[in-house]
Amino acid sequence: MSDTPVPVVTAPRCITSALAGKAPAPAAGAAISVATLAGVVALTSLVVIGTVLGQPVLIPPLAASAALVFAAPALPLAQPRSVIGGQLISAVVGFVTLFVGGRSLWTAAVAGGLAIGAMALARAPHSPAAATSIIVVLTRPEPALFLGLLALATLVLVAVGVLAGRSGKTARYPSYWW
């Protein structure tokens, strides 16, 4: 056995600094509980509404919308203007793109990109809504029915967000309405 010390190799300081990051402080347990309960209530409410109406109301982008509304209620992307407006704008973009380009993955990709631009122009950015435009192209739902159910679903998310925001355990929601 040698008495020669083994050199310790460390990453350059610029790499360790970049990897350290500045993650936000952990949320309080009560805030996590309220966000979780609100998410379960809102999303299961969409299932109940869909069951009563005999129509699917819970679509995957709405779960992502719920995550923003309940876990990050102060973000601009979580405000009612963005949740409701962004989802409806993106769905309309999806229908227009479907009409022009037909049902294909190419058209769906274009619809998602165009939805981002349309939401930005309307000052209603909501990242989950870009996926809604893709769903419209790929599933070809009946426009009036889909838009009506989507409006109802986003109103449910916002309403549950308002209730959660009044719990005193999370940030007050919304920060602004429109």
Side-chain angles (χ1 to χ4, degrees):
M1 200 167 214
S2 171
D3 289 332
T4 309
V6 177
V8 176
V9 178
T10 59
R13 183 178 165 97
C14 63
I15 292 175
T16 57
S17 294
L19 295 177
K22 298 206 188 270
I32 293 171
S33 296
V34 169
T36 302
L37 179 62
V40 170
V41 167
L43 297 174
T44 57
S45 294
L46 298 182
V47 173
V48 169
I49 292 167
T51 302
V52 169
L53 297 176
Q55 297 290 330
V57 177
L58 177 64
I59 60 171
L62 294 175
S65 295
L68 287 171
V69 170
F70 306 127
L75 288 179
L77 296 175
Q79 301 313 305
R81 175 189 182 95
S82 291
V83 175
I84 299 166
Q87 285 287 0
L88 293 174
I89 289 164
S90 293
V92 169
V93 167
F95 283 115
V96 170
T97 310
L98 174 63
F99 177 76
V100 172
R103 182 175 177 243
S104 76
L105 290 175
W106 296 102
T107 305
V110 170
L114 291 175
I116 293 167
M119 288 185 289
L121 285 172
R123 296 180 348 194
H126 187 66
S127 49
T132 300
S133 66
I134 292 170
I135 287 172
V136 165
V137 171
L138 296 179
T139 64
R140 293 184 292 188
E142 193 281 309
L145 178 62
F146 185 85
L147 290 170
L149 292 174
L150 184 61
L152 175 62
T154 58
L155 289 170
V156 168
L157 294 181
V158 167
V160 175
V162 169
L163 293 175
R166 302 304 186 262
S167 70
K169 305 294 182 191
T170 65
R172 190 140 172 102
Y173 180 83
S175 297
Y176 56 89
W177 281 95
W178 211 254

